[in-house]
Amino acid sequence: MIDPRIKLRHLRTFLEVARQKSVIGAANLLHISQPAVTKTIRELEETLGVSLFEREGRRIRITRHGEIFLRHAGMAISAVRQGVDSVTNAYEGEGPPLRIGALPTVSARIMPRAISLFLKESTRSSIKIVTGENSVLLEQLRLGELDLVVGRLAAPERMSGFFFEHLYSEKVVFAVRSGHPLLEAGQDIFARIGDFPVLMPTRGSIIRPFVERFLIANGMPAIATEIETVSDSFGRAFLRASNAVWVISEGVVANDLSDGTLAVLPVDTADTRGPVGLTMRTDTARPPAFEVLLQTIREAAR
């Protein structure tokens, strides 16, 4: 039996503090005072009889009990949200909204065709597509703010409570503008690549470890001028205006390579190949429209 002392506000506050790792940050987003957040968390901890957070310097860290409760609290909020959406959409004659997190590697290559196919199915469900780093999208998926994440398989420690369905494998490429000096025949690419700015995936991204191992294996433990970015629009614009080299998943620049705007350096990057697919929560029900969405993404990825 659910303890009647646990209210929806306790769950919402707990989830926001867990996501922000900050009482102040949670208070700002929830539009309530910091003391109110602290009091709500304390009430929840007293009801559960365990500590959910502990102080770590100026920030707070979720405890082992907090991690356990997080999975169930996220599911509860997600279920309530789905219930409200279902009632509202039934009244308005619409299907349930579907919220997708898409990594840059699939945003341009797969999702446009997948959504086009989905719209032909007339499910009357609205679509929300969010892009960003994998760690951010997975956290939103864990908290029930997304229904699905499409992109590279995350590290094992990040996959607790999730299910991954493999669609295809993809490698990292070294992209440059058409006419780049390193495209000339006879170039020792790894000897000269340090002469140019190099756009690199951020240190928290999935492909960063693949890239670092690849560079070390080819005698490049460090890059002189390194620019970390997750922005594909910046990457494209910067390459067109400079001699920079962009180390990026092939799917992000697939259309640019097809139309000849960008080119790939002749480097064998087979060792950077990794699985791309669908990441879902293991504890979430799938409405019919969601199953249709999954099928259209699978078809678009073929």
Side-chain angles (χ1 to χ4, degrees), residues 5 20 29 38 52 75 87 96 102 113 116 120 122 128 136-137 142 145 174 181 196 198 201 205 217 247 260 276:
R5 291 175 294 175
Q20 298 299 321
L29 286 172
T38 302
L52 300 173
M75 182 172 60
V87 171
R113 181 165 183 261
S116 295
K120 294 178 181 179
S122 301
K128 177 183 179 181
V136 175
L137 296 181
R142 193 178 303 279
E145 297 174 1
F174 287 63
F196 309 96
V198 180
S205 67
V247 186
V276 177

mmCIF file with all atom_site columns, all heavy atoms in Angstrom, residues 5 20 29 38 52 75 87 96 102 113 116 120 122 128 136-137 142 145 174 181 196 198 201 205 217 247 260 276:
data_model
loop_
_atom_site.group_PDB
_atom_site.id
_atom_site.type_symbol
_atom_site.label_atom_id
_atom_site.label_alt_id
_atom_site.label_comp_id
_atom_site.label_asym_id
_atom_site.label_entity_id
_atom_site.label_seq_id
_atom_site.pdbx_PDB_ins_code
_atom_site.Cartn_x
_atom_site.Cartn_y
_atom_site.Cartn_z
_atom_site.occupancy
_atom_site.B_iso_or_equiv
_atom_site.pdbx_formal_charge
_atom_site.auth_seq_id
_atom_site.auth_comp_id
_atom_site.auth_asym_id
_atom_site.auth_atom_id
_atom_site.pdbx_PDB_model_num
ATOM 1   N N   . ARG A 1 5   ? 1.330  9.702  2.883   1.00 0.00 ? 5   ARG A N   1
ATOM 2   C CA  . ARG A 1 5   ? 2.111  10.923 3.104   1.00 0.00 ? 5   ARG A CA  1
ATOM 3   C C   . ARG A 1 5   ? 2.927  11.320 1.873   1.00 0.00 ? 5   ARG A C   1
ATOM 4   O O   . ARG A 1 5   ? 3.388  12.463 1.774   1.00 0.00 ? 5   ARG A O   1
ATOM 5   C CB  . ARG A 1 5   ? 3.046  10.724 4.305   1.00 0.00 ? 5   ARG A CB  1
ATOM 6   C CG  . ARG A 1 5   ? 2.338  10.618 5.651   1.00 0.00 ? 5   ARG A CG  1
ATOM 7   C CD  . ARG A 1 5   ? 3.333  10.300 6.750   1.00 0.00 ? 5   ARG A CD  1
ATOM 8   N NE  . ARG A 1 5   ? 3.920  8.963  6.570   1.00 0.00 ? 5   ARG A NE  1
ATOM 9   C CZ  . ARG A 1 5   ? 4.904  8.477  7.339   1.00 0.00 ? 5   ARG A CZ  1
ATOM 10  N NH1 . ARG A 1 5   ? 5.419  9.219  8.294   1.00 0.00 ? 5   ARG A NH1 1
ATOM 11  N NH2 . ARG A 1 5   ? 5.372  7.247  7.123   1.00 0.00 ? 5   ARG A NH2 1
ATOM 12  N N   . GLN A 1 20  ? 19.201 17.932 -11.350 1.00 0.00 ? 20  GLN A N   1
ATOM 13  C CA  . GLN A 1 20  ? 20.045 19.125 -11.262 1.00 0.00 ? 20  GLN A CA  1
ATOM 14  C C   . GLN A 1 20  ? 21.249 18.930 -10.357 1.00 0.00 ? 20  GLN A C   1
ATOM 15  O O   . GLN A 1 20  ? 22.213 19.684 -10.429 1.00 0.00 ? 20  GLN A O   1
ATOM 16  C CB  . GLN A 1 20  ? 19.209 20.306 -10.728 1.00 0.00 ? 20  GLN A CB  1
ATOM 17  C CG  . GLN A 1 20  ? 18.038 20.695 -11.605 1.00 0.00 ? 20  GLN A CG  1
ATOM 18  C CD  . GLN A 1 20  ? 18.468 21.137 -12.984 1.00 0.00 ? 20  GLN A CD  1
ATOM 19  O OE1 . GLN A 1 20  ? 19.482 21.831 -13.140 1.00 0.00 ? 20  GLN A OE1 1
ATOM 20  N NE2 . GLN A 1 20  ? 17.704 20.751 -13.990 1.00 0.00 ? 20  GLN A NE2 1
ATOM 21  N N   . LEU A 1 29  ? 13.916 25.896 -11.144 1.00 0.00 ? 29  LEU A N   1
ATOM 22  C CA  . LEU A 1 29  ? 13.110 25.275 -12.195 1.00 0.00 ? 29  LEU A CA  1
ATOM 23  C C   . LEU A 1 29  ? 11.684 24.988 -11.739 1.00 0.00 ? 29  LEU A C   1
ATOM 24  O O   . LEU A 1 29  ? 10.745 25.031 -12.539 1.00 0.00 ? 29  LEU A O   1
ATOM 25  C CB  . LEU A 1 29  ? 13.777 23.983 -12.668 1.00 0.00 ? 29  LEU A CB  1
ATOM 26  C CG  . LEU A 1 29  ? 15.021 24.181 -13.537 1.00 0.00 ? 29  LEU A CG  1
ATOM 27  C CD1 . LEU A 1 29  ? 15.717 22.855 -13.776 1.00 0.00 ? 29  LEU A CD1 1
ATOM 28  C CD2 . LEU A 1 29  ? 14.661 24.809 -14.872 1.00 0.00 ? 29  LEU A CD2 1
ATOM 29  N N   . THR A 1 38  ? 14.130 21.907 0.235   1.00 0.00 ? 38  THR A N   1
ATOM 30  C CA  . THR A 1 38  ? 14.802 21.180 1.315   1.00 0.00 ? 38  THR A CA  1
ATOM 31  C C   . THR A 1 38  ? 13.789 20.501 2.231   1.00 0.00 ? 38  THR A C   1
ATOM 32  O O   . THR A 1 38  ? 13.952 19.331 2.619   1.00 0.00 ? 38  THR A O   1
ATOM 33  C CB  . THR A 1 38  ? 15.680 22.140 2.131   1.00 0.00 ? 38  THR A CB  1
ATOM 34  O OG1 . THR A 1 38  ? 16.641 22.760 1.268   1.00 0.00 ? 38  THR A OG1 1
ATOM 35  C CG2 . THR A 1 38  ? 16.412 21.395 3.236   1.00 0.00 ? 38  THR A CG2 1
ATOM 36  N N   . LEU A 1 52  ? 18.201 10.086 0.826   1.00 0.00 ? 52  LEU A N   1
ATOM 37  C CA  . LEU A 1 52  ? 18.174 10.031 -0.631  1.00 0.00 ? 52  LEU A CA  1
ATOM 38  C C   . LEU A 1 52  ? 19.336 10.788 -1.266  1.00 0.00 ? 52  LEU A C   1
ATOM 39  O O   . LEU A 1 52  ? 19.749 10.486 -2.384  1.00 0.00 ? 52  LEU A O   1
ATOM 40  C CB  . LEU A 1 52  ? 16.848 10.587 -1.152  1.00 0.00 ? 52  LEU A CB  1
ATOM 41  C CG  . LEU A 1 52  ? 15.594 9.848  -0.678  1.00 0.00 ? 52  LEU A CG  1
ATOM 42  C CD1 . LEU A 1 52  ? 14.344 10.595 -1.110  1.00 0.00 ? 52  LEU A CD1 1
ATOM 43  C CD2 . LEU A 1 52  ? 15.573 8.426  -1.210  1.00 0.00 ? 52  LEU A CD2 1
ATOM 44  N N   . MET A 1 75  ? 9.226  6.385  -13.113 1.00 0.00 ? 75  MET A N   1
ATOM 45  C CA  . MET A 1 75  ? 8.168  5.609  -13.740 1.00 0.00 ? 75  MET A CA  1
ATOM 46  C C   . MET A 1 75  ? 6.795  6.100  -13.294 1.00 0.00 ? 75  MET A C   1
ATOM 47  O O   . MET A 1 75  ? 5.860  6.173  -14.090 1.00 0.00 ? 75  MET A O   1
ATOM 48  C CB  . MET A 1 75  ? 8.328  4.129  -13.393 1.00 0.00 ? 75  MET A CB  1
ATOM 49  C CG  . MET A 1 75  ? 7.309  3.212  -14.044 1.00 0.00 ? 75  MET A CG  1
ATOM 50  S SD  . MET A 1 75  ? 7.675  1.458  -13.789 1.00 0.00 ? 75  MET A SD  1
ATOM 51  C CE  . MET A 1 75  ? 7.640  1.363  -12.000 1.00 0.00 ? 75  MET A CE  1
ATOM 52  N N   . VAL A 1 87  ? -6.028 10.974 -21.455 1.00 0.00 ? 87  VAL A N   1
ATOM 53  C CA  . VAL A 1 87  ? -7.368 11.536 -21.233 1.00 0.00 ? 87  VAL A CA  1
ATOM 54  C C   . VAL A 1 87  ? -7.566 12.782 -22.090 1.00 0.00 ? 87  VAL A C   1
ATOM 55  O O   . VAL A 1 87  ? -8.593 12.940 -22.757 1.00 0.00 ? 87  VAL A O   1
ATOM 56  C CB  . VAL A 1 87  ? -7.578 11.868 -19.745 1.00 0.00 ? 87  VAL A CB  1
ATOM 57  C CG1 . VAL A 1 87  ? -8.872 12.647 -19.556 1.00 0.00 ? 87  VAL A CG1 1
ATOM 58  C CG2 . VAL A 1 87  ? -7.608 10.591 -18.922 1.00 0.00 ? 87  VAL A CG2 1
ATOM 59  N N   . PRO A 1 96  ? -1.611 9.723  -28.230 1.00 0.00 ? 96  PRO A N   1
ATOM 60  C CA  . PRO A 1 96  ? -0.677 10.182 -27.206 1.00 0.00 ? 96  PRO A CA  1
ATOM 61  C C   . PRO A 1 96  ? 0.560  10.816 -27.827 1.00 0.00 ? 96  PRO A C   1
ATOM 62  O O   . PRO A 1 96  ? 1.036  10.370 -28.872 1.00 0.00 ? 96  PRO A O   1
ATOM 63  C CB  . PRO A 1 96  ? -0.312 8.888  -26.475 1.00 0.00 ? 96  PRO A CB  1
ATOM 64  C CG  . PRO A 1 96  ? -0.529 7.810  -27.484 1.00 0.00 ? 96  PRO A CG  1
ATOM 65  C CD  . PRO A 1 96  ? -1.701 8.254  -28.301 1.00 0.00 ? 96  PRO A CD  1
ATOM 66  N N   . ALA A 1 102 ? 17.119 12.322 -29.981 1.00 0.00 ? 102 ALA A N   1
ATOM 67  C CA  . ALA A 1 102 ? 17.888 11.885 -31.154 1.00 0.00 ? 102 ALA A CA  1
ATOM 68  C C   . ALA A 1 102 ? 19.287 12.478 -31.116 1.00 0.00 ? 102 ALA A C   1
ATOM 69  O O   . ALA A 1 102 ? 19.448 13.694 -31.069 1.00 0.00 ? 102 ALA A O   1
ATOM 70  C CB  . ALA A 1 102 ? 17.178 12.297 -32.439 1.00 0.00 ? 102 ALA A CB  1
ATOM 71  N N   . ARG A 1 113 ? 13.326 10.772 -42.553 1.00 0.00 ? 113 ARG A N   1
ATOM 72  C CA  . ARG A 1 113 ? 12.556 9.748  -43.278 1.00 0.00 ? 113 ARG A CA  1
ATOM 73  C C   . ARG A 1 113 ? 11.636 8.989  -42.335 1.00 0.00 ? 113 ARG A C   1
ATOM 74  O O   . ARG A 1 113 ? 10.487 8.671  -42.688 1.00 0.00 ? 113 ARG A O   1
ATOM 75  C CB  . ARG A 1 113 ? 13.497 8.768  -43.981 1.00 0.00 ? 113 ARG A CB  1
ATOM 76  C CG  . ARG A 1 113 ? 12.737 7.701  -44.781 1.00 0.00 ? 113 ARG A CG  1
ATOM 77  C CD  . ARG A 1 113 ? 13.635 6.975  -45.749 1.00 0.00 ? 113 ARG A CD  1
ATOM 78  N NE  . ARG A 1 113 ? 12.851 6.021  -46.527 1.00 0.00 ? 113 ARG A NE  1
ATOM 79  C CZ  . ARG A 1 113 ? 12.786 4.715  -46.269 1.00 0.00 ? 113 ARG A CZ  1
ATOM 80  N NH1 . ARG A 1 113 ? 13.483 4.209  -45.266 1.00 0.00 ? 113 ARG A NH1 1
ATOM 81  N NH2 . ARG A 1 113 ? 12.048 3.914  -47.021 1.00 0.00 ? 113 ARG A NH2 1
ATOM 82  N N   . SER A 1 116 ? 8.621  11.091 -41.613 1.00 0.00 ? 116 SER A N   1
ATOM 83  C CA  . SER A 1 116 ? 7.772  11.157 -42.816 1.00 0.00 ? 116 SER A CA  1
ATOM 84  C C   . SER A 1 116 ? 6.929  9.888  -42.940 1.00 0.00 ? 116 SER A C   1
ATOM 85  O O   . SER A 1 116 ? 5.734  9.943  -43.243 1.00 0.00 ? 116 SER A O   1
ATOM 86  C CB  . SER A 1 116 ? 8.625  11.351 -44.065 1.00 0.00 ? 116 SER A CB  1
ATOM 87  O OG  . SER A 1 116 ? 9.279  12.594 -44.039 1.00 0.00 ? 116 SER A OG  1
ATOM 88  N N   . LYS A 1 120 ? 2.501  9.264  -42.267 1.00 0.00 ? 120 LYS A N   1
ATOM 89  C CA  . LYS A 1 120 ? 1.598  8.609  -43.216 1.00 0.00 ? 120 LYS A CA  1
ATOM 90  C C   . LYS A 1 120 ? 0.677  7.600  -42.539 1.00 0.00 ? 120 LYS A C   1
ATOM 91  O O   . LYS A 1 120 ? -0.317 7.164  -43.131 1.00 0.00 ? 120 LYS A O   1
ATOM 92  C CB  . LYS A 1 120 ? 2.409  7.904  -44.310 1.00 0.00 ? 120 LYS A CB  1
ATOM 93  C CG  . LYS A 1 120 ? 3.191  8.857  -45.209 1.00 0.00 ? 120 LYS A CG  1
ATOM 94  C CD  . LYS A 1 120 ? 4.003  8.082  -46.234 1.00 0.00 ? 120 LYS A CD  1
ATOM 95  C CE  . LYS A 1 120 ? 4.803  9.025  -47.128 1.00 0.00 ? 120 LYS A CE  1
ATOM 96  N NZ  . LYS A 1 120 ? 5.625  8.281  -48.115 1.00 0.00 ? 120 LYS A NZ  1
ATOM 97  N N   . SER A 1 122 ? -1.135 8.068  -39.870 1.00 0.00 ? 122 SER A N   1
ATOM 98  C CA  . SER A 1 122 ? -2.335 8.741  -39.311 1.00 0.00 ? 122 SER A CA  1
ATOM 99  C C   . SER A 1 122 ? -2.662 8.274  -37.890 1.00 0.00 ? 122 SER A C   1
ATOM 100 O O   . SER A 1 122 ? -3.797 7.924  -37.572 1.00 0.00 ? 122 SER A O   1
ATOM 101 C CB  . SER A 1 122 ? -3.544 8.499  -40.227 1.00 0.00 ? 122 SER A CB  1
ATOM 102 O OG  . SER A 1 122 ? -3.296 8.983  -41.524 1.00 0.00 ? 122 SER A OG  1
ATOM 103 N N   . LYS A 1 128 ? 7.597  15.087 -30.539 1.00 0.00 ? 128 LYS A N   1
ATOM 104 C CA  . LYS A 1 128 ? 8.581  16.035 -30.028 1.00 0.00 ? 128 LYS A CA  1
ATOM 105 C C   . LYS A 1 128 ? 9.946  15.400 -30.172 1.00 0.00 ? 128 LYS A C   1
ATOM 106 O O   . LYS A 1 128 ? 10.177 14.293 -29.674 1.00 0.00 ? 128 LYS A O   1
ATOM 107 C CB  . LYS A 1 128 ? 8.308  16.375 -28.564 1.00 0.00 ? 128 LYS A CB  1
ATOM 108 C CG  . LYS A 1 128 ? 9.358  17.309 -27.950 1.00 0.00 ? 128 LYS A CG  1
ATOM 109 C CD  . LYS A 1 128 ? 9.075  17.563 -26.474 1.00 0.00 ? 128 LYS A CD  1
ATOM 110 C CE  . LYS A 1 128 ? 10.131 18.467 -25.859 1.00 0.00 ? 128 LYS A CE  1
ATOM 111 N NZ  . LYS A 1 128 ? 9.872  18.710 -24.414 1.00 0.00 ? 128 LYS A NZ  1
ATOM 112 N N   . VAL A 1 136 ? 22.743 13.516 -21.426 1.00 0.00 ? 136 VAL A N   1
ATOM 113 C CA  . VAL A 1 136 ? 21.578 14.345 -21.118 1.00 0.00 ? 136 VAL A CA  1
ATOM 114 C C   . VAL A 1 136 ? 20.296 13.651 -21.561 1.00 0.00 ? 136 VAL A C   1
ATOM 115 O O   . VAL A 1 136 ? 19.304 13.607 -20.818 1.00 0.00 ? 136 VAL A O   1
ATOM 116 C CB  . VAL A 1 136 ? 21.702 15.727 -21.803 1.00 0.00 ? 136 VAL A CB  1
ATOM 117 C CG1 . VAL A 1 136 ? 20.431 16.550 -21.586 1.00 0.00 ? 136 VAL A CG1 1
ATOM 118 C CG2 . VAL A 1 136 ? 22.917 16.473 -21.263 1.00 0.00 ? 136 VAL A CG2 1
ATOM 119 N N   . LEU A 1 137 ? 20.311 13.097 -22.760 1.00 0.00 ? 137 LEU A N   1
ATOM 120 C CA  . LEU A 1 137 ? 19.116 12.434 -23.281 1.00 0.00 ? 137 LEU A CA  1
ATOM 121 C C   . LEU A 1 137 ? 18.769 11.191 -22.456 1.00 0.00 ? 137 LEU A C   1
ATOM 122 O O   . LEU A 1 137 ? 17.590 10.930 -22.179 1.00 0.00 ? 137 LEU A O   1
ATOM 123 C CB  . LEU A 1 137 ? 19.324 12.051 -24.748 1.00 0.00 ? 137 LEU A CB  1
ATOM 124 C CG  . LEU A 1 137 ? 19.523 13.217 -25.720 1.00 0.00 ? 137 LEU A CG  1
ATOM 125 C CD1 . LEU A 1 137 ? 19.691 12.686 -27.136 1.00 0.00 ? 137 LEU A CD1 1
ATOM 126 C CD2 . LEU A 1 137 ? 18.359 14.195 -25.661 1.00 0.00 ? 137 LEU A CD2 1
ATOM 127 N N   . ARG A 1 142 ? 15.438 8.386  -18.423 1.00 0.00 ? 142 ARG A N   1
ATOM 128 C CA  . ARG A 1 142 ? 15.326 7.743  -17.115 1.00 0.00 ? 142 ARG A CA  1
ATOM 129 C C   . ARG A 1 142 ? 14.248 8.407  -16.257 1.00 0.00 ? 142 ARG A C   1
ATOM 130 O O   . ARG A 1 142 ? 13.534 7.744  -15.490 1.00 0.00 ? 142 ARG A O   1
ATOM 131 C CB  . ARG A 1 142 ? 16.672 7.796  -16.393 1.00 0.00 ? 142 ARG A CB  1
ATOM 132 C CG  . ARG A 1 142 ? 16.746 6.893  -15.166 1.00 0.00 ? 142 ARG A CG  1
ATOM 133 C CD  . ARG A 1 142 ? 18.116 6.960  -14.522 1.00 0.00 ? 142 ARG A CD  1
ATOM 134 N NE  . ARG A 1 142 ? 19.188 6.604  -15.444 1.00 0.00 ? 142 ARG A NE  1
ATOM 135 C CZ  . ARG A 1 142 ? 19.516 5.356  -15.732 1.00 0.00 ? 142 ARG A CZ  1
ATOM 136 N NH1 . ARG A 1 142 ? 18.858 4.351  -15.203 1.00 0.00 ? 142 ARG A NH1 1
ATOM 137 N NH2 . ARG A 1 142 ? 20.506 5.114  -16.580 1.00 0.00 ? 142 ARG A NH2 1
ATOM 138 N N   . GLU A 1 145 ? 10.931 11.841 -19.134 1.00 0.00 ? 145 GLU A N   1
ATOM 139 C CA  . GLU A 1 145 ? 10.676 13.024 -19.960 1.00 0.00 ? 145 GLU A CA  1
ATOM 140 C C   . GLU A 1 145 ? 10.811 12.718 -21.446 1.00 0.00 ? 145 GLU A C   1
ATOM 141 O O   . GLU A 1 145 ? 10.384 13.512 -22.284 1.00 0.00 ? 145 GLU A O   1
ATOM 142 C CB  . GLU A 1 145 ? 11.630 14.152 -19.557 1.00 0.00 ? 145 GLU A CB  1
ATOM 143 C CG  . GLU A 1 145 ? 11.416 14.614 -18.126 1.00 0.00 ? 145 GLU A CG  1
ATOM 144 C CD  . GLU A 1 145 ? 12.455 15.615 -17.678 1.00 0.00 ? 145 GLU A CD  1
ATOM 145 O OE1 . GLU A 1 145 ? 13.338 15.965 -18.501 1.00 0.00 ? 145 GLU A OE1 1
ATOM 146 O OE2 . GLU A 1 145 ? 12.398 16.054 -16.524 1.00 0.00 ? 145 GLU A OE2 1
ATOM 147 N N   . PHE A 1 174 ? 36.985 11.440 -40.534 1.00 0.00 ? 174 PHE A N   1
ATOM 148 C CA  . PHE A 1 174 ? 37.696 12.711 -40.464 1.00 0.00 ? 174 PHE A CA  1
ATOM 149 C C   . PHE A 1 174 ? 37.202 13.549 -41.646 1.00 0.00 ? 174 PHE A C   1
ATOM 150 O O   . PHE A 1 174 ? 37.636 13.343 -42.782 1.00 0.00 ? 174 PHE A O   1
ATOM 151 C CB  . PHE A 1 174 ? 39.205 12.491 -40.553 1.00 0.00 ? 174 PHE A CB  1
ATOM 152 C CG  . PHE A 1 174 ? 39.816 11.907 -39.316 1.00 0.00 ? 174 PHE A CG  1
ATOM 153 C CD1 . PHE A 1 174 ? 39.456 10.637 -38.863 1.00 0.00 ? 174 PHE A CD1 1
ATOM 154 C CD2 . PHE A 1 174 ? 40.736 12.632 -38.571 1.00 0.00 ? 174 PHE A CD2 1
ATOM 155 C CE1 . PHE A 1 174 ? 40.012 10.100 -37.722 1.00 0.00 ? 174 PHE A CE1 1
ATOM 156 C CE2 . PHE A 1 174 ? 41.308 12.092 -37.418 1.00 0.00 ? 174 PHE A CE2 1
ATOM 157 C CZ  . PHE A 1 174 ? 40.936 10.828 -36.986 1.00 0.00 ? 174 PHE A CZ  1
ATOM 158 N N   . PRO A 1 181 ? 43.726 20.817 -48.208 1.00 0.00 ? 181 PRO A N   1
ATOM 159 C CA  . PRO A 1 181 ? 45.099 20.398 -48.554 1.00 0.00 ? 181 PRO A CA  1
ATOM 160 C C   . PRO A 1 181 ? 45.397 18.928 -48.256 1.00 0.00 ? 181 PRO A C   1
ATOM 161 O O   . PRO A 1 181 ? 46.176 18.299 -48.978 1.00 0.00 ? 181 PRO A O   1
ATOM 162 C CB  . PRO A 1 181 ? 45.965 21.315 -47.683 1.00 0.00 ? 181 PRO A CB  1
ATOM 163 C CG  . PRO A 1 181 ? 45.123 22.534 -47.463 1.00 0.00 ? 181 PRO A CG  1
ATOM 164 C CD  . PRO A 1 181 ? 43.709 22.045 -47.394 1.00 0.00 ? 181 PRO A CD  1
ATOM 165 N N   . PHE A 1 196 ? 46.421 21.774 -38.461 1.00 0.00 ? 196 PHE A N   1
ATOM 166 C CA  . PHE A 1 196 ? 45.100 22.380 -38.637 1.00 0.00 ? 196 PHE A CA  1
ATOM 167 C C   . PHE A 1 196 ? 44.266 22.261 -37.359 1.00 0.00 ? 196 PHE A C   1
ATOM 168 O O   . PHE A 1 196 ? 44.483 21.348 -36.551 1.00 0.00 ? 196 PHE A O   1
ATOM 169 C CB  . PHE A 1 196 ? 44.361 21.689 -39.791 1.00 0.00 ? 196 PHE A CB  1
ATOM 170 C CG  . PHE A 1 196 ? 45.149 21.602 -41.064 1.00 0.00 ? 196 PHE A CG  1
ATOM 171 C CD1 . PHE A 1 196 ? 45.863 20.454 -41.392 1.00 0.00 ? 196 PHE A CD1 1
ATOM 172 C CD2 . PHE A 1 196 ? 45.186 22.668 -41.934 1.00 0.00 ? 196 PHE A CD2 1
ATOM 173 C CE1 . PHE A 1 196 ? 46.601 20.371 -42.547 1.00 0.00 ? 196 PHE A CE1 1
ATOM 174 C CE2 . PHE A 1 196 ? 45.926 22.602 -43.111 1.00 0.00 ? 196 PHE A CE2 1
ATOM 175 C CZ  . PHE A 1 196 ? 46.636 21.451 -43.421 1.00 0.00 ? 196 PHE A CZ  1
ATOM 176 N N   . VAL A 1 198 ? 41.342 21.004 -35.104 1.00 0.00 ? 198 VAL A N   1
ATOM 177 C CA  . VAL A 1 198 ? 40.599 19.744 -35.138 1.00 0.00 ? 198 VAL A CA  1
ATOM 178 C C   . VAL A 1 198 ? 39.376 19.852 -34.232 1.00 0.00 ? 198 VAL A C   1
ATOM 179 O O   . VAL A 1 198 ? 39.506 20.133 -33.036 1.00 0.00 ? 198 VAL A O   1
ATOM 180 C CB  . VAL A 1 198 ? 41.476 18.560 -34.688 1.00 0.00 ? 198 VAL A CB  1
ATOM 181 C CG1 . VAL A 1 198 ? 40.665 17.256 -34.723 1.00 0.00 ? 198 VAL A CG1 1
ATOM 182 C CG2 . VAL A 1 198 ? 42.708 18.436 -35.589 1.00 0.00 ? 198 VAL A CG2 1
ATOM 183 N N   . PRO A 1 201 ? 34.800 15.433 -30.583 1.00 0.00 ? 201 PRO A N   1
ATOM 184 C CA  . PRO A 1 201 ? 33.624 15.196 -29.739 1.00 0.00 ? 201 PRO A CA  1
ATOM 185 C C   . PRO A 1 201 ? 33.955 15.553 -28.293 1.00 0.00 ? 201 PRO A C   1
ATOM 186 O O   . PRO A 1 201 ? 35.114 15.454 -27.875 1.00 0.00 ? 201 PRO A O   1
ATOM 187 C CB  . PRO A 1 201 ? 33.355 13.698 -29.910 1.00 0.00 ? 201 PRO A CB  1
ATOM 188 C CG  . PRO A 1 201 ? 34.650 13.122 -30.380 1.00 0.00 ? 201 PRO A CG  1
ATOM 189 C CD  . PRO A 1 201 ? 35.324 14.185 -31.173 1.00 0.00 ? 201 PRO A CD  1
ATOM 190 N N   . SER A 1 205 ? 31.046 12.499 -24.459 1.00 0.00 ? 205 SER A N   1
ATOM 191 C CA  . SER A 1 205 ? 30.301 11.865 -25.543 1.00 0.00 ? 205 SER A CA  1
ATOM 192 C C   . SER A 1 205 ? 30.661 10.390 -25.675 1.00 0.00 ? 205 SER A C   1
ATOM 193 O O   . SER A 1 205 ? 31.704 9.942  -25.209 1.00 0.00 ? 205 SER A O   1
ATOM 194 C CB  . SER A 1 205 ? 30.576 12.585 -26.868 1.00 0.00 ? 205 SER A CB  1
ATOM 195 O OG  . SER A 1 205 ? 31.917 12.408 -27.256 1.00 0.00 ? 205 SER A OG  1
ATOM 196 N N   . ALA A 1 217 ? 46.677 5.123  -31.183 1.00 0.00 ? 217 ALA A N   1
ATOM 197 C CA  . ALA A 1 217 ? 47.165 3.992  -31.973 1.00 0.00 ? 217 ALA A CA  1
ATOM 198 C C   . ALA A 1 217 ? 47.886 4.446  -33.231 1.00 0.00 ? 217 ALA A C   1
ATOM 199 O O   . ALA A 1 217 ? 48.721 3.731  -33.780 1.00 0.00 ? 217 ALA A O   1
ATOM 200 C CB  . ALA A 1 217 ? 46.010 3.060  -32.336 1.00 0.00 ? 217 ALA A CB  1
ATOM 201 N N   . VAL A 1 247 ? 36.334 15.498 -36.560 1.00 0.00 ? 247 VAL A N   1
ATOM 202 C CA  . VAL A 1 247 ? 36.250 14.080 -36.204 1.00 0.00 ? 247 VAL A CA  1
ATOM 203 C C   . VAL A 1 247 ? 34.840 13.823 -35.684 1.00 0.00 ? 247 VAL A C   1
ATOM 204 O O   . VAL A 1 247 ? 34.478 14.264 -34.590 1.00 0.00 ? 247 VAL A O   1
ATOM 205 C CB  . VAL A 1 247 ? 37.299 13.711 -35.136 1.00 0.00 ? 247 VAL A CB  1
ATOM 206 C CG1 . VAL A 1 247 ? 37.297 12.212 -34.890 1.00 0.00 ? 247 VAL A CG1 1
ATOM 207 C CG2 . VAL A 1 247 ? 38.685 14.184 -35.554 1.00 0.00 ? 247 VAL A CG2 1
ATOM 208 N N   . GLY A 1 260 ? 28.653 16.560 -51.782 1.00 0.00 ? 260 GLY A N   1
ATOM 209 C CA  . GLY A 1 260 ? 29.992 17.039 -52.137 1.00 0.00 ? 260 GLY A CA  1
ATOM 210 C C   . GLY A 1 260 ? 30.450 18.271 -51.396 1.00 0.00 ? 260 GLY A C   1
ATOM 211 O O   . GLY A 1 260 ? 31.544 18.788 -51.655 1.00 0.00 ? 260 GLY A O   1
ATOM 212 N N   . VAL A 1 276 ? 24.526 1.519  -33.434 1.00 0.00 ? 276 VAL A N   1
ATOM 213 C CA  . VAL A 1 276 ? 23.525 2.590  -33.357 1.00 0.00 ? 276 VAL A CA  1
ATOM 214 C C   . VAL A 1 276 ? 22.154 1.929  -33.282 1.00 0.00 ? 276 VAL A C   1
ATOM 215 O O   . VAL A 1 276 ? 21.898 0.940  -33.974 1.00 0.00 ? 276 VAL A O   1
ATOM 216 C CB  . VAL A 1 276 ? 23.600 3.511  -34.595 1.00 0.00 ? 276 VAL A CB  1
ATOM 217 C CG1 . VAL A 1 276 ? 22.506 4.580  -34.548 1.00 0.00 ? 276 VAL A CG1 1
ATOM 218 C CG2 . VAL A 1 276 ? 24.970 4.157  -34.696 1.00 0.00 ? 276 VAL A CG2 1
#
